[in-house]
Amino acid sequence: MKLLFFVLITGLIDCLNPATIITQLLILVKSKSAKLSAYFALATYVTYLAIGYLFSLGLTAILKNYIANISISWNFTFIFVELLVLLVCVYFLINGLTTVKKPTERKSIFLQPLPIITLAIGSTLSDFPTALPYFAFIGKIEPMGFDMFTTFAYFSLYNFIYILPLLVLLFLYRNNQDYFEIYFKKIESFIDALGKIVLYVLLSSCIVIFSIDILLFFHDGNSIWNSIGFKFSQ
């Protein structure tokens, strides 16, 4: 009973994720599609469940050791990938700051199932390193020695709690669509501005972190990620 209470509390704390909730709101307001919203919630659930469960099983450590033993330099390969991501972030940041929205603009190509699922996976993976309640939950479950089925059941429950705000928004939209659209149409410009701010902050943060990391690597061969435990052989 105490464990279930712990799962409930940590899950409720973790579910109050402003970035995920705002993204769900933007999908509903912009696409007016409950189906796309459901795709986002389901992809978020599966991704968060998978990465947390694999982390608890120690598969990340196994993969890390495997990668460390390959013949090429992992650090150099990682920096190369990081550089590519940096260039993509710069492109989208510049494009977002310089593109003028036309009044006749149709529904964005990004409001399609595959981009929405990709967005859910990417945002969930980026949130995981800072998910302190999730780490507390994993730290509580791991020493208990449950079998795989029981462990998976607890993870499934935790992640259901995590996506509850997304499901609540989806439920409200499906049952009060007209009111929902009227209400959010009044604050659509605010949501647009807030969404852009969140996007630009994320892109700018990635650009700054990746730039510093690349400069450090070429200066002395070290990486920011080494300082947080991702130590790979040269």
Side-chain angles (χ1 to χ4, degrees):
M1 198 65 182
K2 290 183 179 180
L3 180 58
L4 287 175
F5 181 74
F6 183 82
V7 172
L8 176 64
I9 295 300
T10 51
L12 288 174
I13 294 173
D14 203 10
C15 79
L16 300 177
N17 186 328
T20 305
I21 295 173
I22 290 173
T23 303
Q24 179 77 310
L25 283 174
L26 287 172
I27 292 172
L28 286 170
V29 171
K30 289 300 182 181
S31 69
K32 296 179 174 60
S33 170
K35 182 182 290 187
L36 287 179
S37 173
Y39 283 143
F40 179 78
L42 180 60
T44 300
Y45 174 84
V46 172
T47 304
Y48 210 43
L49 171 62
I51 191 172
Y53 187 63
L54 292 176
F55 185 87
S56 72
L57 293 178
L59 293 187
T60 50
I62 295 174
L63 291 174
K64 187 169 68 173
N65 291 332
Y66 171 77
I67 294 172
N69 291 326
I70 60 178
S71 57
I72 62 175
S73 168
W74 164 254
N75 276 342
F76 183 79
T77 305
F78 184 82
I79 290 297
F80 177 74
V81 174
E82 198 173 47
L83 178 60
L84 293 179
V85 175
L86 171 63
L87 294 176
V88 171
C89 290
V90 170
Y91 169 78
F92 279 113
L93 182 62
I94 295 175
N95 188 62
L97 291 173
T98 58
T99 300
V100 178
K101 183 178 179 180
K102 298 179 181 179
T104 57
E105 186 178 2
R106 307 299 296 176
K107 184 181 289 187
S108 171
I109 191 174
F110 293 106
L111 295 176
Q112 302 293 334
L114 184 57
I116 291 296
I117 292 172
T118 304
L119 173 64
I121 294 172
S123 61
T124 304
L125 290 175
S126 65
D127 284 342
F128 181 72
T130 58
L132 297 182
Y134 204 11
F135 288 129
F137 163 75
I138 294 173
K140 184 78 170 179
I141 288 290
E142 196 169 358
M144 292 191 167
F146 292 128
D147 58 77
M148 292 182 64
F149 178 80
T150 304
T151 301
F152 187 80
Y154 275 113
F155 270 89
S156 298
L157 174 61
Y158 182 94
N159 281 274
F160 177 76
I161 297 172
Y162 178 74
I163 65 165
L164 269 180
L166 309 185
L167 298 179
V168 169
L169 288 173
L170 177 58
F171 175 81
L172 292 176
Y173 181 80
R174 285 181 60 87
N175 291 276
N176 303 278
Q177 186 170 345
D178 293 336
Y179 175 79
F180 195 96
E181 291 181 359
I182 291 173
Y183 177 77
F184 280 99
K185 195 171 184 62
K186 296 178 181 179
I187 59 172
E188 186 172 7
S189 58
F190 171 75
I191 294 177
D192 278 342
L194 185 60
K196 288 179 180 178
I197 291 173
V198 172
L199 178 61
Y200 294 155
V201 168
L202 288 175
L203 289 175
S204 300
S205 300
C206 289
I207 291 171
V208 171
I209 293 173
F210 291 164
S211 297
I212 293 175
D213 192 44
I214 291 170
L215 290 174
L216 285 175
F217 175 76
F218 285 108
H219 178 258
D220 56 12
N222 289 320
S223 169
I224 292 175
W225 313 111
N226 288 341
S227 64
I228 58 175
F230 292 95
K231 297 181 182 295
F232 299 96
S233 60
Q234 295 286 343

